[in-house]
């Protein structure tokens, strides 16, 4: 399953003096950066890894597409991500028969309620800028299941995804036969990710939890850096009904002697995290204390930041993402990478500013205030809980000057739908309620009944089919010259956003 890395393939046409120049540059670096060269790292030019499509299309080869669909169908036949038997027993058993692949590389583990995927993408970009080969595991996907497992900043190739599944399938079936419950969809994907990372091999894995922390399937790694993005109420039926209860579950990723990068939190959640850190002798860096956002201003296509990291101040950072929440995610990501390199606790220095700037400037986060169409402007955001909706509403109000904003909202039935709608009410002139194609989707009429209570009957339109909802919203935005600056925001669920992205020709 292993493939040679691009940097391992010798090009006979490349002059030897170019190779010598690269070697010279590496050996003349600051000796403090030697940690970056540890392990299986290979020489790469400063340009880093080639970046592929963040959201890949279906395979163009019919046979590959057929094989991928077969794998997707087999995975879909397992317990879904929302049906859980809280235990790491099954995934631990799978790791055991696979030879503990998750211990073949160091890792950075990310939990929290909102911002995990964007933060993971930023951490990955920063590590790539320092010539580390990365594996990133995130969920859920926007459009393609292969998005969940990335190598060197790009989703795993469909062929490799299929091959990885086929490789571990006999071991999955072995564990299934030994356990009271079969491995779930998410557990099998987690096993695939850890196996793919070991096979690559990667220098570091960036791993986002699926839900919670303690009993999440990803929590069979012993990460030296634990990242906790902002905690708010979500999945309350499984994780707890207060930020403190949810923090108790999420604190399970904090391991003995680790460094914890703690984003701004509700007081009770922060107290739980700090208590856990003390219990396991972990070092804590807190946003607003040891690191943070020093300044930010809106810029064309994103924002310009000054960030204070664990090793000093980083100025003139362009981030091509919208919203104050993304600036805070950037501060968290930067500090996580500094902690991974031992900066702050072991070393008093900053990372190379040019590499930091280059990394942040290349960050993408599909479905997070993502503009996918103009005339009228259509923006997608995967907000699915009140805190995420509030961040998205603030971000779109700051970054865009819409004369009128039409919302297209399709949610899952197990969410705080009223809270989400209330967060968007101040910025939506009208809302078109709809539903995505999954069983988890809230019925459009049921959603409309709640929307009418929040917006009033005259501001709510119901279109059960998402394609009809998009057409209706775009028509409303184009209504007449008075509203020439109108826009559309599609939101409420990652699935709704992914399906809208395909319908709008971005798949």
């Amino acid at each position: 399953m292993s493939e040679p890395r691009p940097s391992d393939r010798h090009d006979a046409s490349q002059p030897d003096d170019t190779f010598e120049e690269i070697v010279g540059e590496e050996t003349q670096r600051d000796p403090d950066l030697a940690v970056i060269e540890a392990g299986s790292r290979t020489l790469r030019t400063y340009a880093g890894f080639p970046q592929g499509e963040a959201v890949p299309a279906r395979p163009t080869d019919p046979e590959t597409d057929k094989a991928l669909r077969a794998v997707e169908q087999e995975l879909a036949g397992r317990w879904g991500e929302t049906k859980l038997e809280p235990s790491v027993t099954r995934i631990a058993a799978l790791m055991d028969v696979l030879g503990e692949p998750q211990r073949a590389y160091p890792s950075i583990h990310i939990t929290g309620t909102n911002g995990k995927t964007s933060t993971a993408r930023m951490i990955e970009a920063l590590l790539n800028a320092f010539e580390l080969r990365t594996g990133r595991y995130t969920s859920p996907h926007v459009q393609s299941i292969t998005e969940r497992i990335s190598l060197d900043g790009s989703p795993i190739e469909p062929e490799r995804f299929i091959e990885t599944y086929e490789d571990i399938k006999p071991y999955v079936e072995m564990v299934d036969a030994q356990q009271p419950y079969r491995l779930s969809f998410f557990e099998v994907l987690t096993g695939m990710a850890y196996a793919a990372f070991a096979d690559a091999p990667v220098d570091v894995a960036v791993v986002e939890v699926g839900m919670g922390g303690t009993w999440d399937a990803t929590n069979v790694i012993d990460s030296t850096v634990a990242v906790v993005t902002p905690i708010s109420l979500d999945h309350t039926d499984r994780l707890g009904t207060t930020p403190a209860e949810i923090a108790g579950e999420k604190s399970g990723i904090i391991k003995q002697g680790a460094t914890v990068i703690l984003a701004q939190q509700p007081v009770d959640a922060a107290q739980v995290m700090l208590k856990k850190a003390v219990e396991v002798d972990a070092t804590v860096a807190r946003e607003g204390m040891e690191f943070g956002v020093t300044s930010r201003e809106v810029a064309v296509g994103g924002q310009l930041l000054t960030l204070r990291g664990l090793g000093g101040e980083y100025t003139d950072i362009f981030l091509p993402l919208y919203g104050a929440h993304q600036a805070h995610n950037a501060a968290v990501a930067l500090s996580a990478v500094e902690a991974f390199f031992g900066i702050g606790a072991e070393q008093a220095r900053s990372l190379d500013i040019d590499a930091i700037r280059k990394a942040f400037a290349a960050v993408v986060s599909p479905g997070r205030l993502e503009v996918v169409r103009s005339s009228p402007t259509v923006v997608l955001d995967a907000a699915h809980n009140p805190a995420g909706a509030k961040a998205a509403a603030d971000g779109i109000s700051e970054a865009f000057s819409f004369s009128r904003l039409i919302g297209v909202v399709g949610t899952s039935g197990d969410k705080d739908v009223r809270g989400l709608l209330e967060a968007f009410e101040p910025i939506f002139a009208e809302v078109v309620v709809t539903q995505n194609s999954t069983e988890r989707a809230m019925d459009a009429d049921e959603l409309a009944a709640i929307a009418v209570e929040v917006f009033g009957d005259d501001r709510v339109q119901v279109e059960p089919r998402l394609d009809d909802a998009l057409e209706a919203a775009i028509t409303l935005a184009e209504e007449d010259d008075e509203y020439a600056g109108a826009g559309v925001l599609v939101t409420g669920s990652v699935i709704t956003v992914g399906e809208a992205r395909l319908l709008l020709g971005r798949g």
Side-chain angles (χ1 to χ4, degrees):
M1 206 159 77
S2 293
E3 297 178 358
R5 310 179 196 181
S7 54
D8 292 336
R9 302 186 183 103
H10 180 65
D11 182 355
S13 65
Q14 185 180 35
D16 289 338
D17 58 349
T18 302
F19 179 76
E20 294 298 329
E21 181 180 310
I22 296 173
V23 173
E25 288 176 358
E26 291 296 321
T27 56
Q28 291 169 21
R29 296 174 70 177
D30 186 327
D32 282 344
L33 294 177
V35 64
I36 301 175
E37 271 68 61
S40 64
R41 287 139 199 170
T42 58
L43 294 174
R44 301 178 181 91
T45 62
Y46 183 77
F49 296 97
Q51 298 294 309
E53 290 294 324
V55 181
R58 296 295 310 183
T60 55
D61 177 64
E63 289 303 313
T64 302
D65 187 54
K66 181 180 178 181
L68 180 60
R69 290 186 187 278
V71 172
E72 290 171 329
Q73 187 173 2
E74 288 189 28
L75 288 170
R78 294 180 172 274
W79 272 8
E81 290 174 282
T82 59
K83 187 174 182 180
L84 304 169
E85 196 280 314
S87 166
V88 294
T89 301
R90 292 174 303 281
I91 187 67
L94 179 61
M95 292 296 99
D96 181 54
V97 296
L98 289 176
E100 304 290 350
Q102 82 282 15
R103 306 203 187 283
Y105 39 80
S107 57
I108 297 174
H109 207 175
I110 307 169
T111 190
T113 302
N114 292 308
K116 295 187 295 295
T117 298
S118 292
T119 302
R121 286 180 172 275
M122 293 178 195
I123 291 172
E124 173 187 54
L126 289 164
L127 293 169
N128 285 167
F130 287 98
E131 304 173 3
L132 297 189
R133 184 162 218 203
T134 55
R136 174 173 52 83
Y137 182 51
T138 53
S139 61
H141 55 275
V142 177
Q143 284 175 207
S144 171
I145 194 171
T146 59
E147 295 167 39
R148 294 177 178 238
I149 303 173
S150 287
L151 295 172
D152 300 337
S154 297
I156 190 172
E157 291 294 327
E159 296 84 356
R160 195 164 189 172
F161 184 91
I162 296 162
E163 186 180 3
T164 302
Y165 176 74
E166 294 298 336
D167 280 352
I168 76 165
K169 183 178 177 179
Y171 302 97
V172 169
E173 292 173 345
M174 185 188 306
V175 173
D176 284 343
Q178 297 171 348
Q179 298 292 326
Y181 302 99
R182 296 172 70 213
L183 287 153
S184 70
F185 168 89
F186 186 74
E187 287 169 332
V188 175
L189 273 174
T190 301
M192 289 174 61
Y194 288 160
F197 297 162
D199 186 73
V202 302
D203 298 321
V204 55
V206 183
V207 179
E208 173 189 339
V209 303
M211 185 187 299
T214 300
W215 45 256
D216 185 73
T218 63
N219 201 30
V220 288
I221 52 177
D222 292 318
S223 297
T224 56
V225 179
V227 176
V228 187
T229 65
I231 292 173
S232 59
L233 299 182
D234 200 7
H235 301 295
T236 52
D237 55 330
R238 299 176 180 89
L239 302 180
T241 57
T242 67
E245 290 177 353
I246 294 172
E249 173 58 36
K250 293 182 182 294
S251 70
I253 74 163
I254 302 174
K255 304 299 169 59
Q256 187 72 36
T259 298
V260 184
I261 304 299
L262 195 61
Q264 291 180 342
Q265 304 289 350
V267 172
D268 54 347
Q271 289 173 337
V272 171
M273 288 290 173
L274 292 171
K275 180 180 178 182
K276 177 58 182 285
V278 170
E279 290 173 355
V280 297
D281 196 28
T283 301
V284 179
R286 300 154 294 177
E287 184 181 6
M289 300 290 286
E290 286 77 24
F291 70 92
V293 179
T294 300
S295 67
R296 57 180 294 270
E297 56 184 274
V298 177
V300 176
Q303 50 193 310
L304 192 65
L305 311 175
T306 296
L307 303 177
R308 179 166 54 85
L310 305 180
E313 191 166 83
Y314 300 81
T315 61
D316 298 324
I317 305 294
F318 175 68
L319 181 68
L321 301 175
Y322 301 108
H325 60 296
Q326 295 289 17
H328 291 287
N329 289 339
V332 169
L334 174 61
S335 296
V337 171
E338 287 183 310
F340 180 76
F341 288 146
I343 294 173
E346 301 171 17
Q347 305 172 51
R349 61 176 178 83
S350 297
L351 294 174
D352 180 78
I353 185 62
D354 290 332
I356 297 298
R357 288 171 180 155
K358 187 171 186 176
F360 276 122
V363 168
V364 294
S365 194
R368 277 73 179 179
L369 289 181
E370 178 189 17
V371 178
V372 293
R373 173 185 164 147
S374 57
S375 300
T377 299
V378 178
V379 183
L380 307 179
D381 193 86
H384 54 272
N385 55 48
K390 177 65 165 60
D394 290 345
I396 204 165
S397 298
E398 175 187 74
F400 299 89
S401 300
F402 293 127
S403 59
R404 184 165 173 255
L405 183 62
I406 312 300
V408 176
V409 180
T411 69
S412 296
D414 58 348
K415 299 297 181 180
D416 180 359
V417 174
R418 181 180 295 275
L420 180 141
L421 292 172
E422 287 174 346
F424 282 123
E425 191 278 331
I427 68 167
F428 286 165
E430 296 179 62
V431 60
V432 181
V433 298
T434 187
Q435 62 192 76
N436 59 56
S437 64
T438 66
E439 293 181 356
R440 290 182 60 202
M442 175 174 277
D443 178 77
D445 289 330
E446 185 180 349
L447 177 57
I450 301 173
V452 166
E453 294 176 3
V454 175
F455 290 87
D457 186 67
D458 59 334
R459 293 168 63 192
V460 178
Q461 183 172 333
V462 185
E463 295 289 351
R465 287 171 51 110
L466 182 56
D467 54 350
D468 292 336
L470 291 171
E471 183 178 353
I474 290 170
T475 299
L476 286 169
E478 294 174 330
E479 227 167 32
D480 53 47
D481 291 341
E482 180 184 354
Y483 299 123
V488 175
L489 175 63
V490 184
T491 190
S493 161
V494 175
I495 298 164
T496 300
V497 162
E499 292 182 356
R501 209 172 184 275
L502 279 172
L503 289 167
L504 291 165
R506 294 300 291 262

